[in-house]
């Protein structure tokens, strides 16, 4: 009896792991003033701040728009869904939601210059699209970081040693911050437990949100 109980339990585990849902979907309400176009799993979002697009051709999901009571909804569906496809539904909805936020409000990331002895000097060139970092750990080398398209960098007006990154595409803004952070990387050079100098993200959010 004990052995048969173990076999039955294993069968239930395998069955639950391979079980499929007949239909799974995620729904996103499109706000007023925003236009969403879906063509061949490529989503294009247009709003007051500009236009953004993203390609989801690598996914085996159905995407379409539906209008109910005068309101447009973006729907992602998957038939006979397994666990991985079920997780990707929510991921795609979040990506499209970030596109909508980008064309309506925009994204803002803040970074702080951290140093113990040698002050880090930052120059902004070409209207904030190029960041020059000087005197990092007293080095003479000038670190030049180019922002990704659509991203601009500016100095904070009220906080010392703070940079503000602004853009519509959340991925581009966050990746631009990563480029700045990696340009001052100390991995493999110095003890990271003692030397904490660098440029680090201190705050993320929507533009204008306090």
């Amino acid at each position: 009896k004990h052995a048969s109980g173990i076999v039955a339990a294993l069968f239930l585990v395998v069955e639950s792991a391979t079980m499929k849902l007949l239909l799974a979907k995620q729904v996103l309400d499109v706000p007023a003033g925003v236009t969403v176009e879906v063509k061949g799993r490529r989503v294009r979002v247009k709003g007051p701040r500009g236009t953004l697009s993203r390609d989801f051709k690598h996914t085996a999901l159905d995407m379409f728009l539906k209008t109910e009571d005068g309101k447009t909804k973006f729907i992602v569906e998957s038939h006979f869904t397994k666990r991985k496809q079920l997780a990707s539904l929510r991921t795609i909805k979040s990506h499209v939601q970030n596109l909508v936020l980008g064309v309506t409000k925009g994204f803002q990331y803040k970074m702080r210059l951290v140093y113990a002895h040698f002050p880090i000097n930052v120059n902004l060139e070409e209207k904030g699209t190029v960041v020059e970092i000087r005197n990092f750990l007293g080095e003479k080398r000038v670190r030049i970081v180019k922002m990704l398209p659509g991203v601009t960098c500016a100095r904070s007006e009220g906080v010392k040693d703070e940079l503000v990154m602004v853009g519509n595409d959340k991925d581009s803004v966050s990746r631009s911050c990563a480029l700045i952070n990696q340009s001052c990387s100390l991995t493999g050079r110095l003890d990271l437990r003692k030397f904490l100098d660098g440029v680090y993200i201190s705050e993320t959010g929507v533009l204008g949100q306090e």
Side-chain angles (χ1 to χ4, degrees):
K1 292 183 178 180
H2 182 66
S4 61
I6 294 177
V7 173
L10 289 174
F11 176 76
L12 288 175
V13 170
V14 173
E15 185 181 20
S16 62
T18 58
M19 187 171 58
K20 299 180 181 179
L21 291 176
L22 292 179
L23 176 63
K25 68 178 181 178
Q26 288 283 342
V27 181
L28 174 65
D29 294 329
V30 179
V34 177
T35 304
V36 179
E37 299 176 2
V38 181
K39 186 176 181 181
R41 295 199 187 101
R42 183 177 179 86
V43 181
R44 185 171 179 267
V45 182
K46 185 177 181 181
R49 291 180 59 89
T51 303
L52 294 174
S53 62
R54 194 171 182 116
D55 198 344
F56 299 105
K57 289 184 178 180
H58 61 282
T59 61
L61 304 174
D62 296 329
M63 306 175 195
F64 57 92
L65 298 174
K66 188 175 182 180
T67 303
E68 293 181 355
D69 299 330
K71 296 182 179 179
T72 305
K73 296 183 178 182
F74 173 78
I75 301 176
V76 189
E77 286 186 351
S78 179
H79 298 271
F80 302 103
T81 310
K82 289 186 178 181
R83 184 161 53 181
K84 286 188 177 181
Q85 286 80 11
L86 187 62
S88 63
L89 284 174
R90 175 69 183 179
T91 300
I92 291 179
K93 178 188 174 182
S94 299
H95 282 312
V96 178
Q97 192 169 20
N98 287 334
L99 296 180
V100 173
L101 279 175
V103 299
T104 54
K105 298 180 180 180
F107 291 96
Q108 175 179 271
Y109 279 41
K110 295 182 180 180
M111 303 189 75
R112 295 297 298 270
L113 309 178
V114 179
Y115 52 87
H117 179 69
F118 295 101
I120 301 175
N121 299 324
V122 173
N123 294 331
L124 304 178
E125 303 291 339
E126 300 182 17
K127 299 181 179 180
T129 58
V130 177
V131 178
E132 295 182 355
I133 302 174
R134 303 173 186 269
N135 201 40
F136 177 68
L137 290 179
E139 296 179 359
K140 299 297 182 183
R141 180 165 71 94
V142 179
R143 291 166 168 81
I144 300 176
V145 182
K146 293 183 179 180
M147 301 294 96
L148 295 177
V151 181
T152 57
C153 179
R155 298 181 188 275
S156 178
E157 297 180 357
V159 181
K160 180 186 176 183
D161 295 332
E162 185 177 66
L163 301 177
V164 180
M165 321 290 290
V166 176
N168 294 345
D169 191 349
K170 186 176 183 180
D171 285 357
S172 296
V173 176
S174 59
R175 285 168 57 197
S176 297
C177 293
L179 291 175
I180 294 177
N181 174 262
Q182 291 171 359
S183 69
C184 300
S185 175
L186 295 175
T187 304
R189 296 173 56 195
L190 298 172
D191 190 352
L192 299 179
R193 296 170 296 181
K194 182 176 181 181
F195 295 92
L196 303 176
D197 294 38
V199 187
Y200 303 98
I201 294 177
S202 60
E203 184 179 337
T204 65
V206 178
L207 186 62
Q209 184 180 19
E210 298 295 337

